[in-house]
């Protein structure tokens, strides 16, 4: 029998990328030059947010999507952070609420009344196991802020957040919203902890402290009952977030994991990383058995980080490299070989990061199945890139637009924290994708108090972890001791003067 190649039929085989025209791009934006491995961009159906380069603190722009073209240099910014903004994410259920995290070096917490004193206080040695010496950044702690963007966008600079969340002892590098529960936010810091915040009360309610190094990436499964993390300690973990229990763990020696993403409800994970030969690589895993990847595939020999994006509706995987100009896309199958290469979008301009439009913001009349917002730092440009399925008919294509997660939460924070899991509430893009959410964010009113999770005060002073920091603390204490000694000697002199005056008054002739 003669050999014949195996052709695989797919409705997405001819998907192509279409770059928006220049007048529909966002130009003149001072995109941040920060080298942190994040996207620095977040987008929803109403706004585009971009982290910008600024002096004297961190800031980001929030631009209405219809306001394309050149952005003025004095365009209003969100500029309440004192340090560089490292990550921004829109609330999936309230379209004008955005969370941001930073490497703020502030030493006080207005929400809890905590201040760094002038003298050094050490914890007990048993508390030091949570913090690796290399994680010390010289700051008292990073912050997470929640912002409420007014209707129509910003008219002036915004400096006051509706909610400020303090709890990490190091800078905060990642924030993620829970996919099915309203007002539940996850933050990962350089203190190796993941804090779970209940924004209804404005406090951390859980802490995941199973990591031994910096957390690089977080990803949820469809109903948010599992959290996958990649870590700088070269381990891939699947965690039950409410208990913090590690369900599966993989030590990735041959495949050094950088990014991880859950592949919808397929019970599989996909990771991007580097092989032992320093080539970029992807790996597919069974979430219930991380002992060995199902498949490993080398991509190329470039050095930029690979960002994975998964579309659960079309089962398509997109791979975009930091510093690359191309975007590869694949189709994920349930049987071997699991991963089928489709095509590649090519562009000469390198990308610093990519924002992704939610499904309900796509143009279904143009058969658009995915949309990127590409950050081109050299040009100060944000380019929308639409991934389109070529169809001749202009009617609604139900086969490429199944029911998709909508803008209504399936659970309240109390329900999720009590152990309830529920799939997202689905919506049809045919009729309801323009419907706006009626949920309103209400910031809690909190009393000043300490932040205690699992019996640990998260705002307790952290001891110095480097020699330079120890010397700074030592000299600060010496200055404080010297000042107190001078003040004490001045008071002693004043006391002797008053005693002498009193003695003179008693011995004066008038008193006799």
């Amino acid at each position: 029998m003669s050999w014949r190649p195996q052709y695989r039929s797919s409705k997405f085989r001819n998907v192509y990328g279409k770059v928006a025209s220049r007048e529909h791009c966002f130009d003149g934006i001072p995109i941040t030059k920060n080298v942190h491995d994040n996207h620095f961009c977040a987008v929803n159906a109403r706004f585009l947010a971009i982290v910008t380069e600024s002096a004297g603190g961190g800031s980001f722009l929030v631009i209405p999507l219809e306001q394309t073209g050149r952005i003025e240099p004095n365009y209003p910014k969100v500029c309440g952070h004192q340090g560089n903004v490292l990550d921004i994410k829109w609330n999936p259920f309230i379209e004008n609420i955005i969370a941001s995290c930073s490497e703020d070096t502030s030493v006080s917490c207005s929400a809890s009344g905590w201040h760094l004193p002038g003298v050094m206080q050490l914890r007990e040695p048993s508390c030091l196991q949570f913090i690796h010496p290399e994680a010390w950044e010289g700051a008292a702690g990073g912050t997470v802020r929640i912002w409420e963007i007014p209707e129509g966008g910003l008219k002036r600079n915004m400096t006051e957040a509706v909610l400020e969340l303090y709890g990490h002892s190091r800078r905060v590098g990642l924030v993620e919203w829970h996919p099915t529960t309203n007002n539940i936010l996850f933050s990962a810091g350089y203190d190796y902890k993941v804090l779970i915040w209940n924004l209804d009360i404005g406090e951390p309610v859980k802490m995941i402290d199973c990591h031994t190094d910096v957390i690089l990436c977080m990803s949820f499964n469809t109903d948010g009952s599992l959290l996958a993390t990649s870590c700088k300690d070269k381990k891939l973990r699947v965690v039950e977030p409410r208990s913090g229990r590690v369900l599966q763990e993989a030590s990735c020696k041959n495949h050094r994991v950088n990014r991880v993403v859950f592949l919808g409800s397929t019970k599989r994970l996909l990771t991007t990383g580097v092989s032992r030969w320093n080539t970029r690589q992807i790996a597919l895993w069974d979430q219930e058995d991380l002992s060995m990847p199902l498949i490993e595939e080398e991509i190329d020999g470039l050095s930029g980080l690979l960002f994975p994006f998964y579309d659960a509706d079309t089962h398509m995987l997109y791979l975009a490299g930091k510093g690359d100009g191309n975007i590869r896309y694949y189709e994920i199958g349930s049987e071997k070989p699991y991963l089928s290469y489709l095509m590649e979008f090519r562009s000469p301009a390198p990308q610093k990061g990519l924002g992704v439009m939610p499904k309900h913001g796509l143009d279904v009349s143009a058969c658009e199945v995915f949309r990127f917002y590409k950050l081109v730092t050299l040009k100060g440009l944000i380019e929308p890139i639409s991934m389109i399925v070529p169809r001749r008919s202009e009617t609604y294509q139900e086969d490429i637009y199944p029911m998709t997660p909508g803008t209504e939460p399936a659970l309240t924070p109390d329900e999720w924290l009590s152990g309830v899991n529920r799939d997202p509430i689905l919506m049809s893009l045919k009729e309801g994708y323009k419907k706006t959410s009626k949920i309103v964010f209400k910031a809690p009113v909190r009393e000043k108090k300490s932040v205690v999770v699992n019996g640990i005060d998260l705002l307790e002073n952290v001891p110095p972890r480097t020699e330079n920091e120890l010397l700074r603390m030592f000299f600060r204490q010496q200055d404080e001791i010297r000042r107190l000694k001078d003040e004490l000697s001045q008071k002693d002199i004043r006391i002797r003067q008053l005693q002498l005056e009193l003695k003179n008054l008693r011995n004066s002739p008038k008193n006799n």
Side-chain angles (χ1 to χ4, degrees):
M1 187 174 73
S2 62
W3 177 85
R4 290 184 299 175
Q6 296 292 323
Y7 290 104
R8 185 173 176 274
S9 176
S10 172
K11 66 184 76 172
F12 304 109
R13 186 175 57 188
N14 297 315
V15 169
Y16 66 95
K18 181 180 179 182
V19 180
S21 57
R22 191 63 182 239
E23 59 267 20
H24 291 99
C25 296
F26 301 84
D27 198 4
I29 296 175
I31 301 170
T32 180
K33 296 181 175 64
N34 196 311
V35 296
H36 192 72
D37 286 330
N38 266 344
H39 294 293
F40 301 110
C41 178
V43 64
N44 63 15
R46 293 174 58 189
F47 297 108
L48 171 68
I50 312 105
V51 180
T52 58
E53 187 72 14
S54 61
S59 64
F60 59 94
L61 289 172
V62 176
I63 308 170
L65 287 182
E66 62 273 10
Q67 193 174 334
T68 56
R70 186 163 188 83
I71 304 300
E72 296 298 326
N74 59 349
Y75 192 88
K77 297 181 177 68
V78 178
C79 49
H81 284 285
Q82 298 177 11
N84 293 326
V85 177
L86 300 180
D87 197 13
I88 49 177
K89 293 285 169 57
W90 289 104
N91 188 319
F93 309 114
I94 310 175
E95 291 186 332
N96 67 330
I97 296 295
I98 188 170
S100 63
C101 64
S102 73
E103 53 183 18
D104 285 1
T105 55
S106 57
V107 294
S108 65
C109 174
S110 60
S112 65
W114 173 71
H115 300 274
L116 184 67
V119 292
M120 178 175 65
Q121 296 178 353
L122 296 178
R123 292 190 198 176
E124 296 179 1
S126 60
C127 298
L128 304 182
Q129 61 183 331
F130 297 106
I131 303 171
H132 194 277
E134 294 178 359
W136 177 257
E137 298 292 333
T143 60
V144 178
R145 283 178 165 87
I146 309 299
W147 309 87
E148 185 174 8
I149 307 302
E151 293 291 332
L154 299 176
K155 304 301 180 186
R156 61 183 62 87
N157 285 348
M158 178 179 284
T159 58
E160 295 294 328
V162 294
L163 195 57
E164 297 182 2
L165 308 174
Y166 294 83
H168 288 281
S169 59
R170 299 290 180 269
R171 62 179 178 174
V172 186
L174 295 171
V175 287
E176 286 288 347
W177 295 92
H178 193 273
T180 63
T181 309
N182 189 34
N183 283 346
I184 289 289
L185 181 70
F186 286 62
S187 63
Y190 277 59
D191 53 5
Y192 314 157
K193 296 179 178 64
V194 177
L195 294 185
I196 305 175
W197 302 87
N198 181 357
L199 301 190
D200 283 352
I201 60 175
E203 299 288 348
V205 290
K206 301 285 183 181
M207 179 174 67
I208 302 172
D209 58 358
C210 59
H211 301 87
T212 60
D213 212 322
V214 177
I215 300 153
L216 302 175
C217 183
M218 297 188 292
S219 178
F220 290 99
N221 64 344
T222 303
D223 62 2
S225 61
L226 296 176
L227 175 70
T229 63
S230 60
C231 185
K232 208 171 180 180
D233 62 6
K234 302 180 182 180
K235 290 186 179 181
L236 173 66
R237 295 175 176 88
V238 175
V239 182
E240 204 291 314
R242 282 165 293 212
S243 65
R245 185 164 55 95
V246 179
L247 303 179
Q248 289 287 327
E249 184 177 278
S251 296
C252 307
K253 297 179 180 179
N254 299 331
H255 171 73
R256 195 162 66 247
V257 175
N258 287 323
R259 289 292 181 270
V260 60
V261 62
F262 265 103
L263 299 182
S265 56
T266 61
K267 293 188 176 182
R268 292 196 178 95
L269 298 165
L270 184 124
T271 58
T272 66
V274 181
S275 70
R276 63 169 66 182
W277 297 281
N278 285 331
T279 58
R280 294 197 295 191
Q281 190 180 48
I282 59 175
L284 190 68
W285 307 77
D286 182 350
Q287 74 178 37
E288 297 177 351
D289 182 12
L290 298 183
S291 59
M292 185 177 294
L294 298 175
I295 59 167
E296 290 181 343
E297 184 172 324
E298 293 190 6
I299 303 300
D300 54 35
L302 300 179
S303 59
L305 180 71
L306 272 179
F307 293 113
F309 304 90
Y310 181 66
D311 182 1
D313 295 343
T314 61
H315 304 292
M316 287 180 65
L317 171 72
Y318 301 86
L319 296 178
K322 186 176 181 180
D324 298 357
N326 58 341
I327 301 173
R328 300 174 176 87
Y329 38 104
Y330 302 77
E331 191 169 9
I332 303 293
S334 57
E335 300 176 354
K336 289 185 178 181
Y338 302 117
L339 204 63
S340 301
Y341 176 78
L342 293 175
M343 210 178 290
E344 183 176 357
F345 167 80
R346 292 181 177 271
S347 170
Q351 58 224 6
K352 182 179 181 66
L354 293 163
V356 175
M357 173 65 74
K359 277 288 185 173
H360 59 274
L362 299 178
D363 184 4
V364 297
S365 62
C367 296
E368 184 183 33
V369 292
F370 215 74
R371 188 191 304 166
F372 294 101
Y373 284 78
K374 175 180 174 179
L375 276 64
V376 185
T377 309
L378 298 177
K379 300 180 180 179
L381 186 69
I382 310 295
E383 279 184 343
I385 302 173
S386 298
M387 311 307 294
I388 295 174
V389 179
R391 296 283 174 95
R392 292 183 178 179
S393 175
E394 296 182 357
T395 60
Y396 180 74
Q397 307 291 309
E398 294 189 7
D399 60 326
I400 61 175
Y401 294 115
M403 297 287 284
T404 191
T407 57
E408 294 185 13
L411 293 169
T412 64
D414 291 338
E415 288 175 333
W416 184 78
L417 290 170
S418 66
V420 179
N421 294 320
R422 196 171 294 160
D423 287 333
I425 297 176
L426 303 181
M427 64 185 295
S428 171
L429 298 184
K430 184 176 184 179
E431 299 172 353
Y433 74 100
K434 293 293 183 183
K435 184 173 64 174
T436 58
S437 175
K438 297 180 181 179
I439 303 173
V440 178
F441 181 79
K442 294 182 180 179
V445 178
R446 299 179 296 177
E447 297 180 355
K448 293 183 178 181
K449 59 181 181 179
S450 60
V451 180
V452 179
V453 178
N454 295 354
I456 301 173
D457 188 352
L458 299 177
L459 298 181
E460 187 180 353
N461 296 335
V462 179
R465 311 304 277 156
T466 65
E467 185 178 353
N468 288 336
E469 181 63 21
L470 183 61
L471 286 173
R472 281 198 296 269
M473 295 289 283
F474 172 75
F475 289 127
R476 192 182 304 130
Q477 289 182 45
Q478 294 299 310
D479 291 339
E480 180 70 11
I481 292 171
R482 193 177 300 112
R483 186 187 65 81
L484 291 173
K485 283 182 176 180
D486 292 340
E487 185 178 341
L488 186 59
S489 64
Q490 293 289 337
K491 288 183 178 180
D492 285 340
I493 294 172
R494 181 60 179 160
I495 289 171
R496 285 195 294 269
Q497 289 175 346
L498 291 173
Q499 286 175 341
L500 183 59
E501 290 178 5
L502 182 60
K503 185 177 181 179
N504 292 337
L505 285 172
R506 287 175 178 174
N507 295 332
S508 63
K510 293 182 179 179
N511 290 336
N512 292 333

